[in-house]
């Protein structure tokens, strides 16, 4: 891979990026079994296949800026090193062996935070809280990211095979979002300017803090096992399959009222989201005029891996 620095990233950061590209902190290259990082497993197989194929070739050219967001996550992990308590553990490394067609497959990953809650009140049970941290911008909050939920659910499945604790069996999952472009004045200012129902609802949905939490439902072990094996089969049986439209983030949905030449400003990730918006924000008269339009995504809106790996 040819690593460029078109945006003048400081040399110390460039060096760290180069080191991370070829690092193997889990020592998985020493294992004989096929190994997948959790984030690799939940993504489509083609980007991973092309990355492995062209990582050591100059045919793949990537700029340092491509890897900067990952560095933020790495540095957050470093800040949490050495600050564990009796009930709170950071950076929990886990792996688990799965059997697919008589072959051993290892799935591995690192949970950001693992906290045991021992409740003094007998009316409530002790529980285990697993937290995953994500950075985002405000606009990302409007788009569902089911892969984030599955990543955390898989972590719990790996955890069950890694540790033994009294709270295991009563688990709770959550995602903590750090909103990079949060401003305290955004919400009151937008509410003050909003004049129609859609704008008011959109303003009310703006975050009130730079940190948001989302609870994730715990999946039955049999169901998540089935999901993992399905993803393993996808990677092993069809490594070069074309990514779906949803995997490429290759379309968006908009609303147009009959008789109008222009589309409404709002964009939606799914048709169901657009339909829900019409029902909640439009009058009965406007609902009868509204139609949902499918828009192809612009190149910069697609998954960034598409722009580099599949040129």
């Amino acid at each position: 891979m040819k690593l460029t620095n078109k945006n003048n990233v400081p040399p110390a950061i460039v060096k760290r990026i180069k080191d991370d590209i070829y690092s193997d902190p889990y020592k998985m290259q020493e294992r004989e079994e096929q190994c997948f990082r959790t984030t690799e497993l939940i993504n489509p197989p083609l980007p991973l296949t092309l990355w492995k194929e062209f990582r050591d070739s100059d045919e793949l050219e990537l700029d340092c800026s491509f890897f900067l967001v990952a560095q933020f996550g790495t540095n957050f992990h470093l800040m949490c090193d050495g600050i564990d308590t009796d009930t709170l553990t950071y950076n929990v490394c886990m792996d688990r062996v799965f059997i697919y067609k008589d072959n051993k497959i290892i799935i591995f990953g690192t949970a950001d935070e693992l906290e045991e809650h021992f409740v003094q009140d007998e009316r409530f049970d002790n529980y285990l809280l697993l937290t995953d941290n994500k950075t985002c911008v405000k606009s990302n909050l409007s788009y569902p990211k089911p892969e984030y939920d599955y990543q955390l659910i898989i972590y719990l499945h790996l955890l069950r095979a890694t540790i033994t604790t009294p709270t295991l069996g009563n688990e709770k999952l959550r995602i903590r979002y750090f909103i990079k472009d949060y401003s305290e004045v955004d919400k009151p200012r937008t509410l003050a300017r909003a004049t129609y129902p859609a704008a008011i609802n959109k303003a009310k949905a703006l975050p009130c803090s730079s940190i948001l939490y989302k609870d994730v439902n715990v999946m039955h072990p049999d169901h998540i096992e089935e999901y993992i094996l399905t993803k393993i089969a996808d990677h092993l049986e069809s490594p070069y399959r074309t990514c779906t439209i949803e995997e490429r983030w290759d379309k968006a949905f908009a609303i147009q009222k009959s008789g109008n030449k222009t589309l409404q400003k709002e964009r939606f990730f799914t048709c169901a989201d657009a339909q829900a918006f019409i029902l909640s924000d439009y009058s009965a008269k406007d609902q009868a005029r509204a139609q949902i339009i499918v828009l192809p995504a612009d190149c910069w809106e697609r998954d960034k891996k598409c722009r580099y790996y599949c040129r």
Side-chain angles (χ1 to χ4, degrees), residues 8-67:
N8 296 318
V9 175
I13 299 179
V14 175
K15 181 180 183 304
R16 173 172 286 187
I17 289 172
K18 289 180 178 179
D19 293 342
D20 285 350
I21 289 173
Y22 295 99
S23 67
D24 182 25
Y26 299 90
K27 307 300 181 185
M28 288 298 168
Q29 294 179 4
E30 301 174 2
R31 307 287 289 265
E32 296 180 357
E33 302 89 342
Q34 178 90 36
C35 302
F36 291 99
R37 190 187 297 267
T38 302
T39 49
E40 294 173 344
L41 183 75
I42 60 180
N43 283 319
L46 184 58
L48 178 60
T49 302
L50 295 177
W51 168 253
K52 291 180 177 179
E53 186 173 328
F54 292 101
R55 185 179 66 171
D56 298 320
S57 167
D58 286 344
E59 293 184 55
L60 175 62
E61 180 178 312
L62 294 177
D63 192 74
C64 293
S65 57
F66 181 88
F67 300 95

Side-chain angles (χ1 to χ4, degrees), residues 111-130:
D112 290 341
E113 296 177 22
L114 178 64
E115 186 174 8
E116 294 187 276
H117 286 259
F118 296 100
V119 184
Q120 302 300 323
D121 194 328
E122 294 181 355
R123 293 173 299 174
F124 302 98
D125 295 327
N126 300 329
Y127 64 92
L128 188 71
L129 178 63
L130 193 61

Side-chain angles (χ1 to χ4, degrees), residues 69 72 133-137 140 148 176-180:
V69 174
F72 298 149
N133 297 307
K134 302 292 183 186
T135 59
C136 69
V137 294
N140 294 152
Y148 286 174
R176 180 190 292 119
Y177 287 97
F178 295 93
I179 306 172
K180 294 180 287 188

Side-chain angles (χ1 to χ4, degrees), residues 84-111:
D84 297 349
T85 68
D86 292 340
T87 58
L88 179 60
T89 306
Y90 293 96
N91 303 335
V92 183
C93 297
M94 308 163 294
D95 64 80
R96 186 167 184 168
V97 176
F98 296 85
I99 305 299
Y100 178 75
K101 292 187 176 180
D102 297 328
N103 295 315
K104 291 183 178 180
I105 310 296
I106 297 176
I107 308 300
F108 64 96
T110 301

Side-chain angles (χ1 to χ4, degrees), residues 4 14 30 37 47 61 76 137 145 163 196 199 203 227 235 266:
T4 60
V14 175
E30 301 174 2
R37 190 187 297 267
E61 180 178 312
F76 183 85
V137 294
K145 296 282 285 186
I163 68 169
Y196 58 96
Y227 171 81
H235 280 269
E266 291 78 11

Side-chain angles (χ1 to χ4, degrees), residues 168-179:
L168 204 60
N170 186 26
E171 306 96 354
K172 296 183 180 181
L173 306 176
R174 72 178 182 183
I175 298 174
R176 180 190 292 119
Y177 287 97
F178 295 93
I179 306 172

